[in-house]
Amino acid sequence: MIQTYTTPQKIRQLIFILAPILITQLGIYSMTFFDIMMAGKYRTTDVAGVSIGSSLWMPVYTGISGILLALTPIISQKLGAKDTKSIPHSVIQALYLGLVMAAVVMLIGSIVLNPILELMNLEQSVHNIAHDYLVALSFGMIPLFLYNVLRSFIDSLGQTRISMFITLLALPINVLFNYLLIYGKWGFPELGGVGSGYATAITYWVIMVIAIFTIVKVQPFAGYNLFSKLYRVAWKEWRELLMIGLPIGLTIFFETSIFAAVTLFMSNYNTLTIASHQIAMNFASFLYMIPLSISTGLTIVVGFEAGAKRYKDARIYSILGISGAIGLSLLCASVVFFFREQIASIYSVDSDVIQLTAHFLLYATFFQLSDALQAPIQGILRGYKDVTISFFMSFISYWIIGLPMGILLSKYSSLGPFGYWIGLIAGLAIGAVGLFIRLLYVQRSHDSKRIQHQKKTKNLLI
């Protein structure tokens, strides 16, 4: 990360940071994508089970990893303020916190998983596949959370290409073990959709080991001597991580859990509808990696500038990021609209599934536009360490507005399952508008402080 002085320099730095993040996010999400796609080629009940399991897991994973994302603005602002000596201590504390969170998630999951699946009234075969898939996935929980911390450290230094290379190295491993364990090739057991859970868990261990090796051996990470000292647990550091991370995690949890809630309500429909809905949602979530990557990149650059109190530069980065996200979302929406049947055929060979999925994908085009505004603004606000209001806005827009509207439309109109999608789109749009208003307030507040500081400096000089 370096200080920039012109808009072209800012564009180059943002692209330099953003492009690897995008490839990394797409690579990580591709693991779920390939899990569902390859399970769909095996059997429809397997894709339904894996999709259900994935939809239950994603809110938990993204919520917990969202808490650990607090490390990104903390390190970015330390770098901006040239306080590099305290960075190793912050990273190690985040690793301790990630380890505890992984253990808590596994413990709670072992208690509540079966009751949740029983509430969904699934076909027994789909229930069993979803359960066993999540059990298999749990073997990779600890390395996944630890890797998220290490990746935040790597990305915060502006070295996002390293995260990209780690992911690109791991992705073929995930696909290979999917092939071996789903279809029972080369003497491996034929586990169907459940095999994709074990394949993903193995991959999580691989990326954690690669990340540790990189941080120990490769500069500039090796210069921080991250693992050269054993630090005690520092509750003050945990408090800072949680004060910033909990609102981030809860915001992400409310966003992603709404989709799991919709899946719960969708379980009243037949397996064909569930599978088609989940496939369309999976692809929409795949495309969401674009605005999410822009969001992560903006957290890094805005945090860096805010830490150095260069609020005008932070504002320019904000405009560049939001503009780029809107442009890319229009492109993605067009691709989904014109090629929705071809996209559906990637996941399944069943003609009924393809037709119904294509119908769901029509609604997914509207997701792209709201995401293009909502996700980057959240990243900008995190760079400023302004996270609490985002949490409340997400809760209201999704759970107070979006979900109730979806339930009403699905039950009391002819829209049926598509009513849930319309409710989600409405909630997402309202949330995006609210976040935009909050961003304007935060930036004006910082501008006011900057002007006051300049006046005081001028008076002192006089």
Side-chain angles (χ1 to χ4, degrees), residues 35 60 84 142 148 229 264 278 306 311 375 457:
D35 284 353
V60 176
T84 57
I142 289 175
N148 279 334
K229 180 179 178 181
L264 182 63
Q278 285 300 129
Y311 297 116
T457 303

Side-chain angles (χ1 to χ4, degrees), residues 136-137 139-140 143 170 173-174 177 181 188 195-208:
L137 201 61
F139 288 100
I173 297 172
N174 178 246
F177 278 98
L181 294 170
F188 284 80
S196 63
Y198 287 108
T200 302
I202 292 169
T203 306
Y204 290 155
W205 281 100
V206 171
I207 61 177
M208 185 194 71

